[in-house]
Amino acid sequence: MYYRTYDAPNAAIYAPYDLMWWNYRPNGMQPPYQALQKSLHAIQEAVANESNTEKFYQKLLELSPSEEDRGVITSIHENERAHLQTLREIYFAFTGSQVPASPPTTVYKEPASYKEGLKTAIFNKWKTNLIAGELLAAMPTGYYQNLLAKIAVDNVTIVSKFNYLLANLR
């Protein structure tokens, strides 16, 4: 005869062990509430670092060797601004409030050269795409998942543009 855990003759003995695994996730993902809280915190950090991003793109524009490079960097910068606005809207949708103003969480380091700036940008976009994947997995509804998927795809396009600029330097 099969017993449900709470109907078993020794249910009182085994009950604490059954509750141990209620939060177990074999894929390593966090429970939905914790993942959403972590995602909202990541959005706060991204918005807080906006001033560093602005400075970085301004420096890349100054260092860029050609008008074509400046055009590509300007388009990337506009995409970045649109992504931050989308993240602000997502934050507002889930919290009902604007992203709180806070100082940047990272220290701005000015690129030494145009080539180093492009390499840094590629690496930072790679990290950003990893974070976007975590945000995407944490979003509970399709609409917000679609917005974050668009940001992730745009980030891949941005990395391609940076690679194009880096390849033209050689």
Side-chain angles (χ1 to χ4, degrees), residues 120-132 155 159:
T120 301
I122 290 170
F123 182 71
N124 287 342
K125 274 289 125 194
W126 173 71
K127 289 193 306 188
T128 302
N129 226 18
L130 291 176
I131 294 169
N155 284 340
V159 168

Side-chain angles (χ1 to χ4, degrees), residues 1 3 26 30 37 46 48 55 66 80 104-105 117 126 137 144 148 159 162 165:
M1 174 181 268
Y3 293 102
Q30 297 175 333
Q37 291 303 314
K55 290 176 196 173
S66 70
E80 289 294 324
T105 58
W126 173 71
Y144 298 106
L148 288 166
V159 168
F162 280 132
L165 294 175

